[in-house]
Amino acid sequence: MEKQLKLIIRKAKAGDEVGVAEIFRIGLLRKKFLYSGTDKTKTKKEINKMRKDYSQKDKFIFVAVDNLKNKIIGCCSFEFRKKGRVRQNGEMGWMIHPDYQGKGIGT
């Protein structure tokens, strides 16, 4: 019998970028992330930028972790404009590891 998923959601921290980049890689490989805006995996430069972003306290980046496997299974981020005419606008994005899709995690 499979154990029930124990999911926790927490603020992303330095080190999480490796797990998030792996989710992205697997999603592209399995053709699950069709609307990602790219068909390329994350470069080392992009992963280093993610690490820097995850270290900043003013960023709204969260990860979902399968606590039984201690594995990052999803990521969600929010970004708000800080100034200018469109400061009321923002962006939101999320992704779930393909093995965990269809289980109500991203809904």
Side-chain angles (χ1 to χ4, degrees), residues 23-79:
I23 294 170
F24 195 78
R25 186 189 72 78
I26 291 169
L28 288 175
L29 183 70
R30 296 187 192 171
K31 303 210 182 302
K32 294 286 186 174
F33 296 165
L34 301 177
Y35 304 105
S36 65
T38 184
D39 61 354
K40 295 181 174 69
T41 58
K42 301 291 183 189
T43 64
K44 285 186 179 187
K45 184 177 181 180
E46 290 171 319
I47 293 171
N48 286 336
K49 183 183 180 321
M50 289 167 62
R51 181 178 188 88
K52 183 180 173 187
D53 287 345
Y54 291 5
S55 299
Q56 295 179 6
K57 296 199 182 297
D58 65 336
K59 297 283 185 173
F60 296 99
I61 306 169
F62 300 89
V63 292
V65 179
D66 178 340
N67 216 23
L68 295 174
K69 296 181 180 179
N70 196 29
K71 175 181 178 181
I72 294 175
I73 62 167
C75 178
C76 179
S77 64
F78 308 92
E79 186 175 335

Side-chain angles (χ1 to χ4, degrees), residues 70-94:
N70 196 29
K71 175 181 178 181
I72 294 175
I73 62 167
C75 178
C76 179
S77 64
F78 308 92
E79 186 175 335
F80 302 97
R81 309 289 186 271
K82 295 187 178 176
K83 58 185 176 181
R85 254 186 51 204
V86 292
R87 66 184 173 277
Q88 73 277 9
N89 292 344
E91 293 180 14
M92 181 177 118
W94 69 92

